[in-house]
Amino acid sequence: MFLRSSLGRIQRLTQRHITASAAASEMSDSLRSTLVSNDYRTVECNIAAQSELHEGKFYTIPPDVKKQVFSGGGFPKQFENQLKTFTETCLMIRQPALQLIQYIQNTDFSKPTARYVIYGENGVGKSLVLAHVIHYGYQNDFVLVHVPWVPNWMKRPKEIANAAQEGFIDLPFDAAAWLLHFKNHNSKLLEKLNLKTSKDYVWSKRESTPAGSTLLELVEHGIARIKFASGTIMNLLEELKLHATASRCKVMVAIDGYNAFFHPETRILTDNKQRVSPDRITLTQPFLNITKYDWINGVCVLVVDKIGMTEGFMESYMPRYLLGRAGFEHLDPFVPIHIQNYNDKEFHSCIQYYLDRHWIQKRPDGFEEQLKHMSNKNPYSVMQLTRSL
């Protein structure tokens, strides 16, 4: 009798505990939903279908695409570290990106290549807008010619060597790394397009790439023989221009820190300890050539950035100042794309996303309004200020 009543009491207590736990869980979920709504995300990952309805929302880049397209660079370092913390890759759909993608969609590719120049203050998200456009190019079968950050070549080269052309400096390891980045981007598409070289390329008495070789074979030779990597890039980009002009492919050129090509000097020193100008670096000319408008079936999306300059050359973020006269005339005419701080909708969406990812764990009264004023809604400042919350 005592055993039976004890068992009944245990069952009632257990049932009461389960009911209380379920109620607490439901209350926790309800509280969570009031703190973090789902209107900051969209499931529309087809960039061509994104519109103003999706503005200010985050979309997700699949891990395999992120690995293929951005493993060689494309995201700022601190943003990349944040992605590891979040365990996912999400980009906000912003109005300048939508505008630029719409321009590209409406482009008449039978006309000379259009050039778009992205500019803005530090930390407003220029590189992430470029990343959004690159993802669009990847989804729509553009051959991607992407340079993640030109100033790395001009300030922190992996290794320098005297080029075969007198007075020039070669960056063989950086050139080979870029070819590998190009291959990761485009290997599947190039296999499908089956683009061939138009002429023989002789590298030495014993080495050559015969006419009719695939562009992948040309790229792989440059990766394997880094001594010829810079020359391979020059020939590869010229071949891409020829194929695009012949309507065999579409090419998207995306270069971050493009103004570094026109900076008065680099941090590379000659044997005589004199600073080398960018026009004496072998990697400069190929990328200047492909950003000319003497070819069709292409689009150039270029970012100019104050951070790409050295001390004494950071007074303005305007393209005319950062490019200098030579750079401005090289690109003229171009379409300017101005990136600004978050608007109120984007700022609120960013806060919601940070709450969801537990980047923000404390939410004192009025913190969002205070954060808005402290950061001036600058995306980078928002990221930095919320690290301690």
Side-chain angles (χ1 to χ4, degrees):
M1 183 71 180
F2 174 75
L3 180 61
R4 189 179 303 163
S5 63
S6 298
L7 287 172
R9 191 179 300 114
I10 291 171
Q11 288 175 345
R12 286 193 297 276
L13 288 171
T14 302
Q15 186 64 35
R16 193 180 305 164
H17 175 72
I18 292 171
T19 304
S21 298
S25 176
E26 186 176 344
M27 186 179 298
S28 175
D29 290 342
S30 175
L31 180 63
R32 181 73 176 163
S33 65
T34 61
L35 288 176
V36 183
S37 63
N38 289 322
D39 61 355
Y40 62 91
R41 283 185 185 267
T42 177
V43 296
E44 184 56 80
C45 295
N46 177 14
I47 299 174
Q50 292 172 356
S51 67
E52 291 180 357
L53 295 173
H54 306 100
E55 185 181 337
K57 296 184 179 184
F58 287 85
Y59 82 97
T60 304
I61 298 177
D64 59 325
V65 175
K66 195 261 183 182
K67 182 178 179 181
Q68 181 178 352
V69 179
F70 298 107
S71 61
F75 294 135
K77 185 176 180 181
Q78 289 178 308
F79 183 78
E80 185 72 53
N81 292 336
Q82 193 182 57
L83 297 181
K84 294 176 183 177
T85 304
F86 293 169
T87 66
E88 67 175 5
T89 303
C90 285
L91 291 180
M92 183 186 287
I93 301 168
R94 302 188 65 191
Q95 192 275 333
L98 289 174
Q99 179 187 33
L100 180 48
I101 290 166
Q102 186 178 32
Y103 288 163
I104 296 172
Q105 288 175 325
N106 295 330
T107 295
D108 181 354
F109 286 101
S110 65
K111 298 291 191 296
T113 300
R115 282 83 58 84
Y116 301 94
V117 175
I118 297 173
Y119 71 102
E121 271 289 4
N122 292 343
V124 294
K126 299 183 293 294
S127 295
L128 297 186
V129 168
L130 181 66
H132 194 172
V133 175
I134 290 169
H135 191 198
Y136 167 80
Y138 170 79
Q139 287 185 342
N140 290 273
D141 290 339
F142 282 83
V143 177
L144 297 176
V145 177
H146 174 220
V147 181
W149 188 237
V150 175
N152 282 340
W153 295 342
M154 306 302 171
K155 296 181 179 181
R156 296 171 290 274
K158 293 180 173 64
E159 183 177 297
I160 64 173
N162 291 321
Q165 190 175 355
E166 187 177 353
F168 280 74
I169 298 294
D170 193 19
L171 310 179
F173 282 90
D174 291 284
W178 185 85
L179 286 170
L180 184 60
H181 181 56
F182 176 86
K183 180 184 175 182
N184 290 339
H185 270 172
N186 302 295
S187 56
K188 293 179 182 178
L189 180 59
L190 289 179
E191 287 176 0
K192 176 182 173 182
L193 296 173
N194 196 30
L195 303 176
K196 303 292 183 68
T197 54
S198 60
K199 61 182 180 180
D200 296 335
Y201 293 105
V202 179
W203 309 106
S204 66
K205 292 181 179 179
R206 297 183 179 181
E207 295 176 274
S208 65
T209 301
S213 301
T214 65
L215 292 192
L216 274 178
E217 290 173 337
L218 181 65
V219 169
E220 285 164 358
H221 179 269
I223 295 171
R225 298 284 286 128
I226 62 172
K227 177 181 178 181
F228 306 115
S230 295
T232 300
I233 291 175
M234 173 71 84
N235 297 329
L236 171 67
L237 299 188
E238 288 300 321
E239 289 286 350
L240 284 176
K241 287 173 68 173
L242 290 174
H243 285 296
T245 302
S247 299
R248 299 188 190 102
C249 65
K250 294 184 298 182
V251 178
M252 176 179 285
V253 180
I255 303 177
D256 203 347
Y258 182 79
N259 50 299
F261 285 131
F262 298 96
H263 195 279
E265 60 186 23
T266 69
R267 290 181 181 168
I268 300 172
L269 301 177
T270 64
D271 295 336
N272 299 325
K273 304 301 179 184
Q274 293 180 334
R275 288 186 182 269
V276 179
S277 58
D279 63 331
R280 311 303 285 181
I281 306 295
T282 53
L283 284 177
T284 298
Q285 198 57 48
F287 292 100
L288 294 188
N289 288 345
I290 203 168
T291 51
K292 293 179 179 178
Y293 55 88
D294 58 353
W295 56 293
I296 63 172
N297 271 311
V299 59
C300 298
V301 185
L302 315 169
V303 177
V304 294
D305 199 318
K306 285 198 294 185
I307 302 174
M309 311 297 274
T310 55
E311 299 76 9
F313 296 94
M314 299 182 177
E315 295 176 8
S316 172
Y317 65 83
M318 299 301 288
R320 176 63 181 84
Y321 175 82
L322 293 175
L323 289 166
R325 180 175 179 178
F328 194 87
E329 290 180 352
H330 175 79
L331 291 179
D332 191 40
F334 62 84
V335 180
I337 305 292
H338 188 196
I339 314 298
Q340 302 184 63
N341 289 334
Y342 286 148
N343 58 34
D344 286 340
K345 180 180 179 181
E346 291 171 339
F347 177 79
H348 180 71
S349 181
C350 178
I351 297 302
Q352 296 300 304
Y353 181 67
Y354 282 173
L355 283 167
D356 177 65
R357 294 288 94 189
H358 301 289
W359 186 254
I360 298 175
Q361 299 188 23
K362 302 174 185 177
R363 189 173 180 175
D365 291 340
F367 97 101
E368 191 168 326
E369 199 64 29
Q370 292 178 23
L371 184 60
K372 182 185 293 185
H373 291 296
M374 290 174 65
S375 66
N376 196 29
K377 295 184 286 188
N378 178 274
Y380 178 76
S381 296
V382 172
M383 181 177 70
Q384 292 298 99
L385 288 169
T386 53
R387 292 177 66 182
S388 59
L389 294 176

